[in-house]
Amino acid sequence: TENSPDVKPYTQETNTEWINVELPPELKTIQTLLKLALDERYTILRKNGIKLAEQQSLSALLRIRQFVLNQNRRSAKPLFTAIRIHYALNILEAHGVTPFLKFCERAKAKKGVGVKDLFEIDPNFTRAIHLANEAQSKGIEHSKIPKLKEIIESVPGKALIFTSYRDSVDLIYKKLTELGISAGILIGKAGDTGLKQKKQIETVQNFRDGVFQVLVATRVGEEGLDIAEVNQVIFYDNVPSSVRFIQRRGRTGRKDTGKLVVLIAKNTIDETYYWIGKRKMSAAKSMGDKMTKVLEKNQEIESQKTGLDAFI
């Protein structure tokens, strides 16, 4: 971790600020509809004998896929539909309307078990998509967007925005540009819209040179590329991984005191990831402290041996 004795001398303090935002009313309505659609699938799965915890969990559903395919085939349709709804809900809650709609477009195009029912028949899900399209036509995306402008303008200098979702990168870039903030994009190489390595390096260099003030990046910006020192790092979405959290945070506070801002939409997956991440960070710190003590003890033993050897 950044508090390790071998790392600490090379970093400065990073001030972390967690900023809560409320989902716009339109998104709350869509969220409710998606949760209703999800509840229906959970009810069916439980009736089919699938043991699920009271707390709805995407990871729990992903873990039982093979079991369902091998031993409980009648649960395949509600299971895979529930997984799709979970993904859609998480994207809506953390990233906003356009990323949600783009995810739905891709999911619908892929076909698969339960897709037709979900996108054409399910009253809650189809209503959610209808309302999302309405919100998009009114320019409603996510309350994180206006908050970004406020955060960026509060600290002079360069800012690095991390988001886990590529559609979200496009949205943030578009909205920042509309707000008059100069920005660039850094994404991975995969897919038709991906950035090849040469373009990635060029983008990073432009950011270093001050061609634009803000760099919006996916996880490709967390490691590997030598991104210049930034004045603040903003997590547009939260990550439940302690390693990724530290890598993201490590992009600021190398030379001077840096600022880290984490945006959290209330009553969403952001909050869930916050608590998961907090537990993991605490566990990682505890493990790091234990390892440091062991190393210090070993060094002490070695030095004692060396001292004794001098008299033999």
Side-chain angles (χ1 to χ4, degrees):
T1 70
E2 68 272 29
N3 291 319
S4 302
D6 54 339
V7 175
K8 203 162 186 177
Y10 304 100
T11 61
Q12 301 297 321
E13 184 186 350
T14 299
N15 297 322
T16 304
E17 186 179 358
W18 306 83
I19 296 180
N20 290 302
V21 298
E22 286 277 358
L23 287 179
E26 293 84 355
L27 267 71
K28 285 184 179 179
T29 304
I30 299 166
Q31 180 191 43
T32 300
L33 290 166
L34 295 176
K35 285 182 175 180
L36 287 170
L38 197 55
D39 287 344
E40 283 182 29
R41 274 68 190 191
Y42 270 83
T43 300
I44 296 167
L45 288 169
R46 289 189 177 108
K47 280 181 181 174
N48 288 353
I50 303 289
K51 290 180 181 177
L52 293 165
E54 196 61 38
Q55 181 76 30
Q56 292 180 349
S57 161
L58 173 58
S59 57
L61 295 186
L62 293 172
R63 281 196 297 271
I64 62 169
R65 283 178 298 181
Q66 208 54 51
F67 166 77
V68 166
L69 289 172
N70 293 338
Q71 299 182 46
N72 196 323
R73 293 286 299 189
R74 64 181 176 156
S75 295
K77 186 175 174 180
L79 173 66
F80 286 100
T81 303
I83 288 170
R84 287 187 195 97
I85 298 169
H86 259 299
Y87 276 121
L89 178 61
N90 290 354
I91 290 166
L92 176 86
E93 290 181 341
H95 299 277
V97 171
T98 295
F100 164 74
L101 287 171
K102 286 190 175 180
F103 168 80
C104 289
E105 279 173 28
R106 284 193 292 270
K108 188 178 180 181
K110 280 183 181 176
K111 308 297 182 190
V113 62
V115 168
K116 187 178 172 66
D117 282 1
L118 183 63
F119 286 95
E120 295 179 21
I121 300 167
D122 186 286
N124 292 311
F125 200 85
T126 52
R127 178 74 180 149
I129 291 176
H130 174 73
L131 292 178
N133 278 308
E134 276 191 358
Q136 188 186 49
S137 69
K138 294 174 187 172
I140 297 163
E141 284 295 346
H142 201 293
S143 38
K144 289 179 182 180
I145 297 288
K147 186 58 74 174
L148 272 181
K149 183 176 189 287
E150 190 184 310
I151 294 162
I152 291 164
E153 291 177 346
S154 70
V155 176
K158 293 175 183 172
L160 177 56
I161 300 172
F162 280 113
T163 177
S164 303
Y165 202 56
R166 195 177 284 188
D167 288 334
S168 189
V169 170
D170 295 335
L171 174 67
I172 294 165
Y173 171 78
K174 179 174 176 280
K175 291 295 180 183
L176 289 181
T177 304
E178 286 173 6
L179 292 166
I181 296 168
S182 59
I185 284 175
L186 183 63
I187 56 175
K189 293 181 277 187
D192 297 334
T193 58
L195 288 186
K196 301 305 174 197
Q197 192 168 18
K198 186 180 176 184
K199 187 65 179 172
Q200 289 176 355
I201 293 166
E202 185 186 316
T203 300
V204 170
Q205 189 58 52
N206 285 339
F207 184 50
R208 275 213 202 106
D209 295 342
V211 175
F212 41 83
Q213 179 195 356
V214 179
L215 184 61
V216 188
T218 54
R219 65 184 302 167
V220 72
E222 291 171 14
E223 55 180 321
L225 290 166
D226 184 18
I227 296 173
E229 170 71 9
V230 297
N231 302 84
Q232 68 175 335
V233 169
I234 303 163
F235 292 8
Y236 188 77
D237 61 341
N238 212 343
V239 284
S241 162
S242 56
V243 174
R244 287 184 64 196
F245 186 95
I246 291 166
Q247 284 173 333
R248 283 181 170 193
R249 183 164 64 182
R251 292 303 186 174
T252 189
R254 293 180 187 177
K255 294 174 186 171
D256 300 304
T257 300
K259 185 180 180 184
L260 167 66
V261 177
V262 185
L263 289 171
I264 299 177
K266 292 180 189 175
N267 302 313
T268 70
I269 190 67
D270 282 343
E271 284 192 341
T272 306
Y273 283 172
Y274 168 78
W275 291 110
I276 293 171
K278 206 169 177 64
R279 283 197 299 272
K280 287 185 177 179
M281 288 288 286
S282 177
K285 186 180 183 304
S286 175
M287 180 63 74
D289 290 345
K290 283 177 186 173
M291 287 177 71
T292 301
K293 283 177 184 174
V294 169
L295 288 169
E296 285 172 352
K297 192 171 182 180
N298 287 344
Q299 283 173 349
E300 193 180 321
I301 291 166
E302 286 301 317
S303 64
Q304 285 172 358
K305 280 182 184 176
T306 307
L308 184 62
D309 288 346
F311 297 96
I312 295 174

